[in-house]
Amino acid sequence: MHDMSAPVAHQHAPPTSFIRKYVFSLDHKVIGKQYYGLALLAAYVGMGLSWLMRFHLAWNSTAIPGLQFLSASGAPGGVMTPEYYLQLMTMHGTIMVFFVLTTAPFAAFGNYFLPIQVGAEDMPFPRFNMMSFWVTFTAFLVLMSSFFVGDGPTLGGWTQYAPLNAIGSVGGPGQGTGVVLWAVSIALFCVGQLLGALNFISTTLDLRVKGMSMMRLPLSAWSWFITSCIGLTAFAVLMPACILVILDHVAGTSFFVASGLVMNDQVLPHSGGSTLLWQHLFWFFGHPEVYIAIVPSMGIVSHILLANQRKPMLSQRVLIYSMGALAVLSYMVYGHHMFVSGMNPFSSLVFSFPTLVITIPSTIIVLIWTFSLYGSKLRINSASLFSLGFISMFVSGGVSGFFLAQPSIDIMLHATYFVVGHFHLVMGVAAMFGIFAGTYFWFPKITGRMMSEPLGKLHFWLSFVGAYCIFMPFHYLGMAGNVRRYSTFVDDFLQPLIPVHKFITIAAFVTGAAQLIFLYNLFYSRFKGAPAPDNPWEATSLEWSTATPPPFDNFGGKHPIVYHDPYQYGVKSSVGDYVMQTSPEQVETEFEEK
Amino acid sequence: MRTKSMLVGVSTLLMSSSLMFAGTVSGKVTFTGTPAKPKTIDMSKEPSCAKQHATPLTTESVVTGPNNGLENVVVYVSSGAPDDGQVPAQAVTYEQKGCQYLPHVLPMHVNQELKITNEDQTSHNIHPLAKVNHEWNKSQPPGTPAISEKYEKAEFISVKCNVHPWMHGVFAVMNTNHYDLSKGGGAFKLPNLPPGKYTITAWHEDYGTQTADITITSNETKDVNFTFKAKAY
Amino acid sequence: MARLFAITIVVIAILSAIPILRHTWVAPEDISTHGALIDEQMSETMAEAGISFLAAQFILAFFVWKFSNRAPDAKLKKFPGGAKGLVIGALLVVGIEVMALGLFGVKAWANVYLDAPSANAMPVQVQAGQFAFYFRYPGVDGKFGGLHPELINEGSQNIFGLDPEHDVDARDDIVAAEMAIPVNKEIHLLMHAKDVGHSFFVRELRVQQDFVPGLDVSLHFTATKIGKYEIVCTQLCGLGHYNMKAYLEVMSQQDFDDWLKKQAGQ
């Protein structure tokens, strides 16, 4: 341990009972691990659903053995029905966006490392923090329960467009109880994330230790802080929207259903609602949500690359401002999801310009990452490979944004596989790579053991090449006019594209199987991995200055003092080419942040 | 086992003895006025079905025969007949072929097994809009096994395929085995009615319901006719 | 391993670009008067996005190749331009690039959405419902009959809920399940949703527009080539969404008139 000549913090004893220690724990580290576990479970459920969907898309009349036991009416004789496909698709999207991409990089890693990186003992509101996890966990259970209730989960897609989300079971299987469970789950999820965001923001603003100015915060901490600011406003809009949906179902209101709609030759009893209102509310949340998923990964990847390139960022300040710009712009662009929705076509033009402007901070971020590699001494390991893979994926998924930002082109690409390819690369795969990078990087600190590098690299190669094989062809399908959310391709026009779908499906199976290597590595290394030193990556930030795994109060009864910017690499110090934030040692560096 | 078969034997004996004196109700369902002309159904959306019909199908909600005969009318004993409670062991079959329901109106007994098959190369969904019974909505992809269902309460249920909006039919679920569907010239026949007082009901999906009260003495054949007023639109 | 990474992303980048350069999978040929601008916008965007994509991947590959696993005593180097150069470069190059794209795109969009249809455009109404499109022509009187949702009865094919008994305008309305239009004639498409959200997408026509339940919207376009095209739904509308389609028949004026007569006779 480095010099921790700091005042002694008031120590509170760790809990001893099993329940308080592992279940209803107030410790941010345990809560972080709980979030990670939830995300892990959700990710594999979501991946399993995508396997079923991909199989059905490629071989739509072939039975999937055993599927009939999951749902007798959804898959008679194992052959998936159109509605079951849509139900699985909705669950895949909802699980992945909310319970994986939001929880893992933000809630899991953020909970564990944000307090440590700012030097705090815990978050300011540990009880809210505990509630945040358990409410989120309940949300997950509620969502999963829809598989087993009534006629299954909702089939309306993760965007749950109105009025299909509000008219009840006349809309189709799952549109009654299924939608209500979905809306309850997401409303709970919002509560959980709002509580989390509150904690994150106050941790960052109020609990920084002596010497830890905002600009000395590591980039990961910055990204969690920015994300919580987005989350606080975005989830605060989605939650009431979900409540309105629930009211439309159970209280006879008509927020999202217009008058005079006819289903099964019967006029619906609703009147006076607005269909487009839902889209505005949803996308006001939905677009910022994209940044909630990706910004933490940007911070995590920056943090990891810096430790591996042994050289500071070209400009940390520019990177922070750019991430902030993304957050602000994210609210001004949501209308690009609605170009052809029937909203005023003039609004489409207005929304298209800020969307195009988002290209600028995104480009700056990519340029800063890439050109920071120039002249570096890059170390290649699983964590840095996934970080580099992240940059590549982010670029590939990002350039398709050029197209989708323009309303005129959107006429051709809206609701096609092009969009699916775009968001899977830029917020799905890229964010997943951020999660993987974070896992390989921080696993030693969390568990005290190293993960297997050979298995990690194998996992990387299969995932990297596999993800490209899956999602690049999505763009081609979209350009050819392949509409998304079709359970079967019956249009004459789509027949020639089915071989592409078969290729994608095979790639998805291989890539998915590669994720089992990760799972094995995770559990094997947890128990059998090589013991980890306190600072295996020779990194500088506060989490590496404490014991492995960190004690209950993070710094063993002391408040650390911060003397340096977060990424003092490429210097000459008593320990090597870096100096830790907590080290009072004065070093000279030509790479000092200006 | 033995007791059960003996009971079945006895009840069969009892029933056949009552049938020896049974009467029959027969007659004709006709209409007055001009019914709306059946509309041609355009199936161009589903080419695999469209090509099965050399001449395009027309709507089947009003089907007329010679001499103003009205078809697809369910004529049944709505009260008076003690329901023998016997659910026919044999299932009734509802076929989806060429994006059409065969038959258009399917009468059945409460709790009788209903088998639904899909002979087409496309996915159908069967959505009977039950109000008294449990409403369900099931898809049936091509090549999947028959769907087996039953209804626990008497009800005339409108059946739809949501994928092919023109597909429309009726499940006539009744508490009696004494029913018939009017054919060709609107003729129907309800045999094997033991002597007694009955209400005979004729039900048409567009034109509504008519009833007739009758009394049957043994071995009698009673003539009952129904006339519906056609709607021009 | 670093070199393998560099090679891999270069190979992936090139392989990804090949189908685009060879036009392996492209949208079908445009048959509309407004589509050329959209196609042009698309190919310009493709050029700019493609160059950015390849450049970013190649630079990343090059730096990883060059600067990884270096000797412990190798010297760190600073990127000569520094962050300021990159930011100014990004602001200028990317900023001008995307703004130019956006501004040029305005015209392509305005063509379809902001200009009003001409006075002699032919009105056709399309109604989207789970899971089929139906089309309505006003008939010889040139007037559409009123819509009465409570009269909709698909079993007897009263798809739109017309009331010919009381509404004279509705009596000659022609309802069809396929959309026939005359070639080179501007169509004013009146879009009405019966139940939930749907969309009207004809790839060849370069039109896609959602139906908004409770809010009738309209579109206008002119088809320039005789033929049969698919109209598909692109807004998730329920279990039969994948099968919600209709055919667009673009005909000569003569064929169209005959078609209309035949439909009126049915």
Side-chain angles (χ1 to χ4, degrees):
Chain A
M1 230 39 17
H2 291 274
D3 194 357
M4 302 239 290
S5 55
V8 176
H10 68 281
Q11 244 178 325
H12 45 187
T16 45
S17 79
F18 180 82
I19 299 258
R20 285 315 246 175
K21 207 168 164 186
Y22 297 109
V23 186
F24 296 109
S25 170
L26 298 175
D27 181 358
H28 69 99
K29 297 186 288 299
V30 176
I31 296 167
K33 284 196 272 187
Q34 287 172 327
Y35 263 120
Y36 192 90
L38 173 63
L40 199 67
L41 171 68
Y44 283 91
V45 171
M47 190 183 87
L49 296 176
S50 72
W51 271 0
L52 296 173
M53 285 154 60
R54 282 310 320 174
F55 183 87
H56 181 72
L57 287 177
W59 294 279
N60 66 68
S61 52
T62 310
I64 301 171
L67 193 61
Q68 64 270 36
F69 301 114
L70 208 60
S71 170
S73 61
V79 180
M80 206 183 281
T81 59
E83 61 266 32
Y84 200 54
Y85 173 86
L86 292 175
Q87 291 173 322
L88 298 184
M89 180 199 81
T90 304
M91 292 296 269
H92 167 81
T94 308
I95 289 173
M96 288 303 204
V97 170
F98 291 98
F99 294 95
V100 181
L101 297 181
T102 308
T103 54
F106 173 63
F109 287 134
N111 248 306
Y112 199 104
F113 288 106
L114 179 64
I116 304 184
Q117 286 187 346
V118 305
E121 286 167 56
D122 203 324
M123 299 227 176
F125 312 114
R127 260 163 235 284
F128 276 175
N129 204 18
M130 177 182 80
M131 251 171 84
S132 156
F133 172 76
W134 285 104
V135 169
T136 309
F137 183 72
T138 311
F140 185 68
L141 291 185
V142 170
L143 186 71
M144 294 307 286
S145 74
S146 67
F147 269 116
F148 310 101
V149 178
D151 41 14
T154 161
L155 52 67
W158 84 279
T159 56
Q160 280 297 329
Y161 269 19
L164 192 60
N165 68 353
I167 53 177
S169 51
V170 286
Q175 291 310 96
T177 325
V179 174
V180 175
L181 289 173
W182 184 92
V184 169
S185 163
I186 299 308
L188 285 174
F189 184 87
C190 294
V191 173
Q193 297 315 302
L194 287 171
L195 292 171
L198 216 61
N199 254 321
F200 276 45
I201 291 173
S202 44
T203 304
T204 317
L205 294 181
D206 300 334
L207 296 188
R208 279 171 288 126
V209 285
K210 195 176 170 197
M212 180 62 90
S213 65
M214 283 303 275
M215 278 301 157
R216 278 185 177 172
L217 283 175
L219 287 164
S220 45
W222 261 108
S223 71
W224 291 318
F225 174 64
I226 292 171
T227 305
S228 4
C229 296
I230 311 176
L232 200 63
T233 33
F235 288 114
V237 172
L238 183 62
M239 184 179 67
C242 286
I243 292 172
L244 298 187
V245 168
I246 297 168
L247 290 177
D248 273 5
H249 279 265
V250 302
T253 57
S254 299
F255 289 105
F256 302 120
V257 193
S259 318
L261 304 185
V262 179
M263 298 288 283
N264 302 315
D265 299 350
Q266 300 288 320
V267 180
L268 297 181
H270 301 77
S271 65
S274 161
T275 317
L276 283 176
L277 174 63
W278 169 262
Q279 291 191 37
H280 283 288
L281 292 175
F282 184 83
W283 288 119
F284 187 86
F285 146 80
H287 200 77
E289 164 64 28
V290 174
Y291 295 91
I292 292 174
I294 197 68
V295 169
S297 284
M298 288 179 167
I300 292 169
V301 161
S302 310
H303 190 68
I304 295 170
L305 277 176
L306 283 161
N308 285 296
Q309 72 194 33
R310 313 308 299 164
K311 173 182 172 267
M313 250 338 150
L314 264 179
S315 168
Q316 187 179 338
R317 207 172 276 266
V318 169
L319 201 71
I320 293 167
Y321 292 158
S322 300
M323 289 198 292
L326 287 183
V328 173
L329 282 170
S330 72
Y331 289 97
M332 297 157 61
V333 302
Y334 77 86
H336 69 232
H337 295 269
M338 298 170 62
F339 283 155
V340 298
S341 69
M343 96 180 153
N344 187 331
F346 184 72
S347 313
S348 301
L349 286 178
V350 174
F351 275 115
S352 89
F353 282 93
T355 309
L356 284 163
V357 168
I358 269 199
T359 320
I360 298 172
S362 311
T363 309
I364 292 174
I365 291 173
V366 171
L367 288 177
I368 295 279
W369 283 330
T370 316
F371 283 87
S372 294
L373 292 174
Y374 178 89
S376 68
K377 292 202 270 188
L378 184 61
R379 293 174 179 170
I380 296 295
N381 49 43
S382 305
S384 69
L385 278 173
F386 271 107
S387 304
L388 296 168
F390 170 91
I391 300 178
S392 173
M393 289 290 171
F394 183 71
V395 167
S396 306
V399 289
S400 44
F402 276 27
F403 296 83
L404 299 171
Q406 300 177 51
S408 60
I409 297 182
D410 196 54
I411 293 175
M412 280 307 282
L413 296 179
H414 182 78
T416 65
Y417 270 78
F418 191 88
V419 180
V420 184
H422 165 70
F423 72 71
H424 270 94
L425 276 186
V426 82
M427 76 179 271
V429 178
M432 285 308 280
F433 273 38
I435 299 168
F436 288 137
T439 306
Y440 286 106
F441 187 71
W442 279 316
F443 187 86
K445 178 56 64 181
I446 298 170
T447 65
R449 291 179 187 275
M450 305 296 290
M451 284 184 85
S452 156
E453 272 296 313
L455 285 180
K457 284 176 177 149
L458 180 64
H459 173 221
F460 169 75
W461 287 112
L462 290 171
S463 303
F464 186 67
V465 177
Y468 269 118
C469 287
I470 299 169
F471 295 113
M472 265 301 166
F474 272 48
H475 295 83
Y476 310 142
L477 289 170
M479 284 190 286
N482 194 335
V483 178
R484 68 192 279 210
R485 289 171 164 169
Y486 277 16
S487 58
T488 310
F489 302 118
V490 289
D491 298 1
D492 315 336
F493 185 81
L494 297 177
Q495 297 305 315
L497 298 174
I498 288 179
V500 185
H501 279 286
K502 291 190 172 159
F503 172 80
I504 293 173
T505 297
I506 293 165
F509 273 93
V510 175
T511 316
Q515 306 318 308
L516 301 176
I517 301 174
F518 172 72
L519 196 64
Y520 172 79
N521 195 353
L522 206 60
F523 283 98
Y524 177 84
S525 306
R526 168 69 185 80
F527 298 105
K528 295 275 171 72
D534 284 349
N535 188 3
W537 314 112
E538 300 179 288
T540 52
S541 49
L542 259 59
E543 74 264 34
W544 305 109
S545 69
T546 183
T548 289
F552 175 68
D553 63 355
N554 293 343
F555 294 97
K558 290 178 190 167
H559 284 308
I561 293 178
V562 171
Y563 298 94
H564 295 286
D565 280 351
Y567 302 111
Q568 292 291 355
Y569 296 105
V571 298
K572 282 198 177 65
S573 78
S574 56
V575 286
D577 67 342
Y578 67 106
V579 61
M580 299 200 73
Q581 282 191 283
T582 50
S583 161
E585 186 180 354
Q586 289 302 311
V587 289
E588 275 188 29
T589 168
E590 53 174 318
F591 292 101
E592 196 87 61
E593 173 76 32
K594 287 286 177 330
Chain B
M1 192 68 204
R2 183 174 289 173
T3 3
K4 197 178 171 191
S5 55
M6 265 173 67
L7 274 175
V8 172
V10 170
S11 60
T12 317
L13 259 177
L14 280 171
M15 267 173 46
S16 47
S17 64
S18 72
L19 285 184
M20 285 198 289
F21 310 101
T24 302
V25 173
S26 76
K28 215 181 140 182
V29 189
T30 52
F31 63 89
T32 56
T34 319
K37 198 174 139 198
K39 287 186 191 157
T40 309
I41 291 171
D42 184 341
M43 291 189 193
S44 54
K45 161 190 161 165
E46 196 64 76
S48 70
C49 285
K51 71 179 181 214
Q52 292 184 42
H53 305 283
T55 49
L57 282 184
T58 52
T59 50
E60 293 174 288
S61 40
V62 178
V63 180
T64 56
N67 304 323
N68 286 3
L70 189 58
E71 295 182 21
N72 283 345
V73 178
V74 184
V75 184
Y76 64 108
V77 177
S78 54
S79 77
D83 180 24
D84 39 36
Q86 238 196 3
V87 179
Q90 204 174 357
V92 286
T93 308
Y94 203 50
E95 194 181 10
Q96 300 161 98
K97 196 175 178 192
C99 291
Q100 183 187 15
Y101 287 129
L102 298 171
H104 178 67
V105 177
L106 180 68
M108 70 189 91
H109 193 279
V110 164
N111 283 329
Q112 184 173 8
E113 191 191 0
L114 162 66
K115 273 204 156 129
I116 302 163
T117 59
N118 179 6
E119 310 291 332
D120 286 329
Q121 288 150 31
T122 180
S123 239
H124 287 294
N125 84 303
I126 305 97
H127 189 180
L129 303 166
K131 296 195 169 65
V132 182
N133 286 286
H134 171 62
E135 181 183 344
W136 47 265
N137 182 0
K138 287 183 182 176
S139 270
Q140 195 172 30
T144 48
I147 291 176
S148 174
E149 276 287 342
K150 61 182 178 183
Y151 281 104
E152 288 170 352
K153 291 178 192 127
E155 184 184 1
F156 291 118
I157 305 167
S158 181
V159 184
K160 277 183 71 74
C161 171
N162 292 110
V163 184
H164 306 103
W166 61 84
M167 288 175 72
H168 172 246
V170 177
F171 290 156
V173 188
M174 290 165 286
N175 252 322
T176 175
N177 284 319
H178 300 290
Y179 59 73
D180 197 13
L181 201 60
S182 68
K183 313 227 167 41
F188 68 91
K189 193 175 181 185
L190 302 171
N192 300 335
L193 279 171
K197 276 186 153 179
Y198 298 105
T199 305
I200 311 288
T201 299
W203 177 90
H204 184 266
E205 59 174 295
D206 248 23
Y207 296 163
T209 310
Q210 296 204 358
T211 54
D213 291 323
I214 55 158
T215 309
I216 290 194
T217 49
S218 71
N219 280 329
E220 183 190 19
T221 297
K222 200 119 194 177
D223 219 24
V224 178
N225 293 313
F226 295 99
T227 307
F228 286 92
K229 198 160 169 259
K231 294 182 193 164
Y233 288 104
Chain C
M1 186 79 61
R3 301 200 158 183
L4 180 60
F5 179 82
I7 294 167
T8 308
I9 58 173
V10 168
V11 169
I12 287 175
I14 292 172
L15 285 181
S16 303
I18 288 174
I20 290 172
L21 293 171
R22 291 175 51 104
H23 299 283
T24 315
W25 291 288
V26 288
E29 197 197 344
D30 166 42
I31 61 151
S32 71
T33 48
H34 68 265
L37 271 181
I38 295 177
D39 288 3
E40 204 179 302
Q41 187 73 14
M42 179 80 123
S43 43
E44 274 164 23
T45 307
M46 181 55 84
E48 296 189 10
I51 291 167
S52 314
F53 166 73
L54 291 174
Q57 305 286 6
F58 289 169
I59 295 171
L60 179 64
F62 176 69
F63 286 170
V64 171
W65 175 287
K66 193 131 176 32
F67 297 112
S68 57
N69 302 326
R70 293 167 77 203
D73 58 341
K75 255 189 91 67
L76 292 173
K77 277 186 285 183
K78 242 183 174 173
F79 176 65
K84 203 183 271 176
L86 289 176
V87 170
I88 294 171
L91 277 174
L92 285 179
V93 177
V94 181
I96 291 172
E97 182 182 315
V98 295
M99 282 305 116
L101 277 178
L103 288 172
F104 287 128
V106 168
K107 201 175 166 217
W109 177 257
N111 250 346
V112 193
Y113 282 100
L114 299 181
D115 301 349
S118 64
N120 63 349
M122 183 181 110
V124 180
Q125 189 183 37
V126 54
Q127 175 181 278
Q130 283 187 335
F131 298 100
F133 297 98
Y134 283 96
F135 304 89
R136 184 158 74 123
Y137 300 78
V140 284
D141 64 355
K143 283 185 209 151
F144 285 113
L147 299 183
H148 305 272
E150 68 282 2
L151 295 181
I152 288 180
N153 184 339
E154 287 172 338
S156 59
Q157 294 273 292
N158 190 354
I159 304 289
F160 281 82
L162 302 181
D163 185 11
E165 196 177 347
H166 305 104
D167 180 1
V168 183
D169 293 344
R171 284 186 195 158
D172 65 346
D173 284 6
I174 293 159
V175 173
E178 60 180 345
M179 181 180 182
I181 56 168
V183 71
N184 292 327
K185 167 102 185 154
E186 188 175 7
I187 306 298
H188 188 203
L189 187 70
L190 309 163
M191 301 173 63
H192 175 75
K194 177 175 83 79
D195 40 39
V196 297
H198 301 277
S199 195
F200 181 93
F201 182 32
V202 184
R203 302 166 181 96
E204 294 83 353
L205 262 184
R206 307 294 190 257
V207 288
Q208 177 166 200
Q209 171 63 49
D210 287 359
F211 292 81
V212 188
L215 179 76
D216 285 7
V217 291
S218 77
L219 260 188
H220 60 103
F221 52 80
T222 308
T224 55
K225 201 172 161 196
I226 291 174
K228 189 175 180 182
Y229 311 97
E230 270 177 1
I231 303 166
V232 295
C233 177
T234 53
Q235 177 72 273
L236 179 52
C237 55
L239 65 94
H241 173 52
Y242 74 99
N243 199 9
M244 179 159 169
K245 64 174 183 205
Y247 288 97
L248 169 73
E249 297 255 22
V250 181
M251 308 173 170
S252 67
Q253 184 68 45
Q254 181 62 50
D255 286 350
F256 175 72
D257 294 341
D258 293 347
W259 179 87
L260 214 52
K261 263 189 214 117
K262 191 176 145 235
Q263 294 292 320
Q266 272 178 1

